[in-house]
Amino acid sequence: MALSSDVVRQVEQDLLVKADVLAYHLGNLVVTDAERAKAVYEEIVARLRDAVSPGADLAPKSELLSLDRRPNVRLAKSGGDEIEDFILEILAHSPRGLSVQEIVDGLQEAEIEIKRATLVVRLHRMLQAGKLTSRTHGHYVLSEAEHNRRQSA
C-alpha cells in the first residue's frame, strides 16, 4: 500500500524533528563526555544504516527500542531554562520553523514534560520577548535578533 505524498512529507518532518532532538542531546553530551557522545553517535548512525540497507526489515515496528536498550540521555545543561533553551535549539535547526505540535513532539522525545497549554503560553512570552517570530498562527521560527545572537556566539 503506497503512502500519500502528504503522509510521506509528515513522516519526513517527524524524522527531521527527531534528528534535531538527537543533535541537541549529542551536543550537550559532548560538553560533559565527548567520548561517550561519539559512541552514542556511532550507535545511532549504525542503526540508521541498518534500517536502510538492502534487505532491511522496513516494516513498521511496534516498539523501536526495547526499554533496556533505550538511551536515557537528558539535557546536560545545569541551571537556566531547560524548556526555553530546548525550544530555541530545535528552532535554530529548523529554518522553516515548527508548529506547536512539532515542538510538543520534540519536547516529548527529549523527555521534557510540559502541558500543551503551558507551552503555548511559553511560546507567546518568547514571542513577546523578541526571541521568536510567528509566521502564521501556531507556527514559530527564531527571530532575526535571536538568530543573529546565535551566529555571533
Side-chain angles (χ1 to χ4, degrees), residues 72-145:
N72 187 14
V73 180
R74 293 301 224 141
L75 295 176
K77 286 187 176 179
S78 59
D81 187 338
E82 176 180 90
I83 294 171
E84 186 171 307
D85 291 344
F86 183 81
I87 292 168
L88 292 171
E89 186 68 25
I90 63 173
L91 286 171
H93 295 314
S94 304
R96 292 178 294 177
L98 297 171
S99 69
V100 173
Q101 187 57 51
E102 290 169 325
I103 296 170
V104 166
D105 294 344
L107 289 165
Q108 287 175 343
E109 282 288 317
E111 298 179 8
I112 299 172
E113 294 184 29
I114 184 172
K115 293 180 181 175
R116 183 183 176 99
T118 305
L119 175 63
V120 170
V121 170
R122 174 67 62 93
L123 291 168
H124 182 71
R125 287 181 182 157
M126 292 171 73
L127 189 68
Q128 296 301 314
K131 294 180 179 187
L132 303 180
T133 301
S134 180
R135 290 184 177 167
T136 61
H137 180 72
H139 192 89
Y140 297 90
V141 296
L142 285 184
S143 68
E144 189 174 330

Side-chain angles (χ1 to χ4, degrees), residues 7 9-19 102 105:
V7 170
R9 278 192 294 277
Q10 183 60 47
V11 169
E12 288 171 354
Q13 286 301 313
D14 289 346
L15 289 170
L16 293 173
V17 167
K18 289 175 173 138
E102 290 169 325
D105 294 344

